[in-house]
Amino acid sequence: MFERLKKTFAGRPGRWPTRLLFCLLLAGFAAGNHFSVFADLDARAGDILLRWHVSERVPPAEIVLIDIDQASLDDPQMLELAGNWPWPRAIHGELLDFIAASRPAAIAFDLIFSEPDVFRPGSDAVLTRAIGATSALLPVVLAADGEATPLRQLPPVMSIRPGPQADPDAGLPLIAPKAIDPAFWRTGLINFLADDDRVGRRYWIDYPYRGWTLPSLPRRIAEQAGWAVPARDAITLHWYGQPFRKYSYRELFLSAQSRTPQLPDLAGKVVIIGAAAPGLHDLRPTPLGATTPGPEILATAVANLRDNDWLRPVAPHWNLLLGLFGMTAVALAFTRRPNPLAIAALLAAGSLAINLAAFLLLARNIQWTPFSALLATWLTFALAATASYLRERRQRDQAVQMFARFLDPNVVRSLTDEGQLARAEASASREITVLFSDIRGFTTISESRSPEEVVTLLNRYFDLQVAAIFEQAGTLDKFIGDAIMAFWNAPLDVPDHAVKAVRAALAMSRALEVFQQELGEFGEHFDIGIGIHTGPAVVGFLGASQRLDYTAIGDTVNLSSRIEGQTKGVARILVSEATRDACGNVFEFIDHGEVTVKGRHRPVRLFEPREHA
């Protein structure tokens, strides 16, 4: 492949602008991948593919959400028992005791109890006691600013781990559950991990900072439930299109207060208590939408850890290789001058296959986002197709200009059809019918006219004769003084080329009679002779690079010229036996016998064509 590419770049100088743009595209794509310029495109397109994939994906039943939904905030009984939001912490403590009776694998809050309740300290004590009794897990948040707390001073129960190179003076501004006794701070980080486009696609597992490691809440839940946890800072979330099993906070709390409480089966399940009501503002942008509730994001991370089905993104260098390969393959394909529609069809099929592969890989927890590579390949196609079109258009215009000197304009337009022009430009041996026409008695007229009048008369005569040739799809080869050479069956195929040549000759004879009338008394001295022969000849462009003529060469051309020389005193039009045989019964032919012509040892039999009476 690279050898072909090298030959391509060593080609014609006129292609250097295209080559330069191609090199800039390659360099731009490589640099863009290095600096993650295309990360947003790949991420957004990957989100669309992921949404299609997860539409029927069902979360595990072992992860349960208890939602503080809008119904819980508005319920009259809740308002009577708990008042307006925020509720007293004792409410959460009572619910915690109620849930714990079902022996779940883990209970975690997605609520921040950051400040003690100075008006109801006993309420905080109820929640603290319930947390201590149930080993419930609490969230901690890394603040954007604020006073940093030295990490070494935090209670060991938070499981913040120093590494071998840990900075003893490291500190972070943490929003901790200060309403709870620090002895029960079994906490985990719940910070929203957003990409550069502010969409959350990952979740922290361990937050590293100056040699220290802060565990996330999903890690703490997994450890308490006895699941394996990957040794990595974050995981890419594999979302669910179907909802988690949910209970309204109001439903469970009011059941706990009733005389006949009905506790759902939560044995062995992970229970997450969080705020889902829109007014509580725990909504985040994710691939699923702009307002994904925080508890669902947390639950997704926990479910991914439980089933080990979080997404493994494909390394970026594979996209780089795919893009460079695709761009190079497209550039090489255009060096063969194929139909761009065929390349587009192959490229579309390849793009579809790659997208399908990326979609199917999601089922195996592999996330491949090849969209920037495909875009770069399509941009290369657009560049190459445009350059090819302009190049072909320029070559077509040049060829059309050349053929316009020899062919009827309608025939020239038909040459621009796909495949016709290239074939017409190529020199080849083929059977043609050649016509030679020469003027008789022109000397008498030229002696009695001025040079300007002579040129005007000749041009008028040539107009009439060439019109007859073009009307029968003939190719005008050249004017040789006052003689005309034309041929049929090149550059376009003309199946009945001998018939058309003879018809053209008869039309030229009729046009001559019109011209003789225009000449008046001098018309009787003005006549022509036409010779026609059918046979093989080499047809193509001949000449120097500065001046090319589309012509035919070979014995067939010479013989038609010799036949024209035999017309004087015999007939205005004479054709060879080969032409007569090729015409079949279309015309009547008068046999004028055999003659010996210059350059041929065997005699030639000549015939005069006439229209059927």
Side-chain angles (χ1 to χ4, degrees):
M1 174 184 285
F2 291 103
E3 186 62 29
R4 281 183 56 204
L5 190 62
K6 180 180 177 182
K7 291 180 180 179
T8 299
F9 275 74
R12 287 174 284 183
R15 293 184 177 179
W16 272 108
T18 306
R19 299 188 192 108
L20 178 60
L21 286 175
F22 174 67
C23 289
L24 289 175
L25 269 179
L26 280 177
F29 177 70
N33 271 268
H34 179 73
F35 293 106
S36 300
V37 173
F38 306 115
D40 185 63
L41 167 65
D42 285 333
R44 293 302 179 104
D47 291 346
I48 297 173
L49 203 65
L50 187 60
R51 283 197 293 272
W52 291 344
H53 162 69
V54 305
S55 60
E56 300 299 325
R57 189 169 140 86
V58 179
E62 288 75 15
I63 312 298
V64 176
L65 292 175
I66 298 178
D67 282 344
I68 303 173
D69 51 13
Q70 196 63 42
S72 298
L73 298 179
D74 297 339
D75 185 88
Q77 288 183 274
M78 287 298 297
L79 288 171
E80 181 180 351
L81 294 171
N84 292 321
W85 183 265
W87 298 326
R89 273 67 181 267
I91 298 295
H92 303 305
E94 292 178 27
L95 180 67
L96 200 55
D97 289 335
F98 180 61
I99 294 171
S102 189
R103 304 184 67 81
I107 303 174
F109 280 97
D110 191 18
L111 300 170
I112 303 293
F113 306 118
S114 57
E115 297 295 336
D117 190 339
V118 295
F119 299 104
R120 294 167 294 194
S123 182
D124 286 351
V126 172
L127 178 58
T128 297
R129 180 198 55 76
I131 290 174
T134 60
S135 298
L137 297 166
L138 299 169
V140 65
V141 175
L142 176 62
D145 53 19
E147 184 178 352
T149 301
L151 298 182
R152 68 175 185 274
Q153 296 180 7
L154 293 171
V157 72
M158 293 182 70
S159 195
I160 297 176
R161 307 183 302 274
Q165 306 297 324
D167 182 356
D169 298 324
L172 287 170
L174 296 175
I175 303 176
K178 296 178 183 178
I180 310 302
D181 188 330
F184 303 115
W185 283 7
R186 286 179 287 269
T187 59
L189 204 65
I190 61 167
N191 275 76
F192 180 68
L193 180 53
D195 291 338
D196 291 339
D197 59 359
R198 300 184 180 181
V199 176
R201 300 179 179 90
R202 298 173 294 149
Y203 210 103
W204 287 112
I205 299 301
D206 287 319
Y207 181 81
Y209 181 73
R210 293 170 65 175
W212 294 77
T213 300
L214 281 71
S216 68
L217 191 54
R219 167 182 272 282
R220 299 301 300 273
I221 293 172
E223 290 173 342
Q224 192 173 101
W227 308 334
V229 182
R232 55 194 308 120
D233 293 340
I235 60 171
T236 300
L237 298 178
H238 200 166
W239 303 90
Y240 302 93
Q242 301 299 310
F244 284 88
R245 181 68 176 93
K246 296 179 182 180
Y247 296 96
S248 173
Y249 193 107
R250 168 187 63 88
E251 176 186 345
L252 293 182
F253 183 79
L254 293 179
S255 178
Q257 304 304 311
S258 68
R259 294 181 180 179
T260 55
Q262 294 183 356
L263 179 63
D265 181 17
L266 300 177
K269 295 181 171 58
V270 172
V271 179
I272 297 173
I273 305 170
L280 300 183
H281 307 297
D282 192 11
L283 304 173
R284 299 288 185 269
T286 69
L288 298 182
T291 56
T292 305
E296 289 193 16
I297 302 174
L298 174 60
T300 299
V302 173
N304 285 178
L305 287 179
R306 176 189 178 277
D307 295 333
N308 193 35
D309 70 345
W310 41 275
L311 293 174
R312 281 76 169 174
V314 171
H317 68 265
W318 290 110
N319 273 1
L320 175 62
L321 291 176
L322 174 64
L324 295 179
F325 174 81
M327 297 168 74
T328 304
V330 168
L332 288 176
F334 272 93
T335 63
R336 294 181 176 271
R337 299 180 65 182
N339 185 347
L341 291 178
I343 298 180
L346 288 174
L347 190 54
S351 300
L352 182 61
I354 289 172
N355 279 286
L356 180 61
F359 180 81
L360 295 176
L361 285 173
L362 288 171
R364 296 182 174 270
N365 301 321
I366 298 173
Q367 186 177 40
W368 184 27
T369 54
F371 310 105
S372 60
L374 293 177
L375 175 63
T377 303
W378 278 102
L379 286 176
T380 304
F381 170 81
L383 168 66
T386 301
S388 177
Y389 170 77
L390 294 176
R391 184 169 58 252
E392 294 290 340
R393 179 66 179 269
R394 183 171 60 252
Q395 293 172 351
R396 183 185 298 113
D397 290 345
Q398 291 173 351
V400 166
Q401 289 174 8
M402 297 181 70
F403 278 113
R405 297 162 51 198
F406 319 116
L407 298 172
D408 177 68
N410 293 324
V411 178
V412 174
R413 280 193 291 271
S414 68
L415 278 176
T416 60
D417 294 342
E418 182 179 344
Q420 293 285 336
L421 194 58
R423 188 157 57 90
E425 292 183 85
S427 298
S429 178
R430 58 196 302 169
E431 182 181 86
I432 62 174
T433 298
V434 181
L435 178 151
F436 260 94
S437 171
D438 200 4
I439 298 176
R440 308 267 188 262
F442 185 65
T443 303
T444 303
I445 297 176
S446 62
E447 289 176 349
S448 62
R449 306 276 178 124
S450 66
E452 292 78 7
E453 291 179 304
V454 170
V455 171
T456 300
L457 286 174
L458 273 179
N459 286 339
R460 169 61 179 161
Y461 161 74
F462 284 142
D463 283 342
L464 294 172
Q465 301 294 287
V466 170
I469 293 171
F470 282 173
E471 186 177 353
Q472 295 300 321
T475 299
L476 177 64
D477 187 310
K478 62 175 70 72
F479 297 109
I480 309 171
D482 54 10
I484 299 173
M485 175 183 169
F487 53 82
W488 279 257
N489 205 35
L492 292 176
D493 292 334
V494 181
D496 54 346
H497 51 89
V499 173
K500 288 188 177 296
V502 173
R503 281 179 177 161
L506 294 172
M508 292 168 70
S509 178
R510 292 191 295 271
L512 173 66
E513 294 170 2
V514 173
F515 185 69
Q516 286 175 328
Q517 294 177 4
E518 293 178 5
L519 291 177
E521 60 180 304
F522 296 99
E524 60 180 308
H525 303 292
F526 190 92
D527 205 345
I528 60 173
I530 299 174
I532 302 174
H533 176 54
T534 300
V538 175
V539 184
F541 284 100
L542 185 69
S545 57
Q546 294 84 0
R547 173 63 186 269
L548 290 173
D549 282 325
Y550 189 74
T551 188
I553 56 176
D555 184 63
T556 296
V557 178
N558 297 332
L559 182 54
S560 62
S561 176
R562 300 288 187 264
I563 293 173
E564 182 276 322
Q566 297 296 320
T567 59
K568 189 173 183 180
V570 179
R572 183 174 290 166
I573 305 170
L574 289 176
V575 305
S576 68
E577 189 173 7
T579 300
R580 187 206 65 172
D581 292 343
C583 290
N585 298 321
V586 177
F587 307 101
E588 292 181 359
F589 288 96
I590 299 174
D591 189 346
H592 284 278
E594 294 182 341
V595 297
T596 300
V597 299
K598 183 179 179 181
R600 294 181 71 92
H601 298 292
R602 297 179 60 183
V604 178
R605 196 175 193 86
L606 302 178
F607 299 86
E608 178 185 356
R610 292 184 180 180
E611 298 281 3
H612 284 293

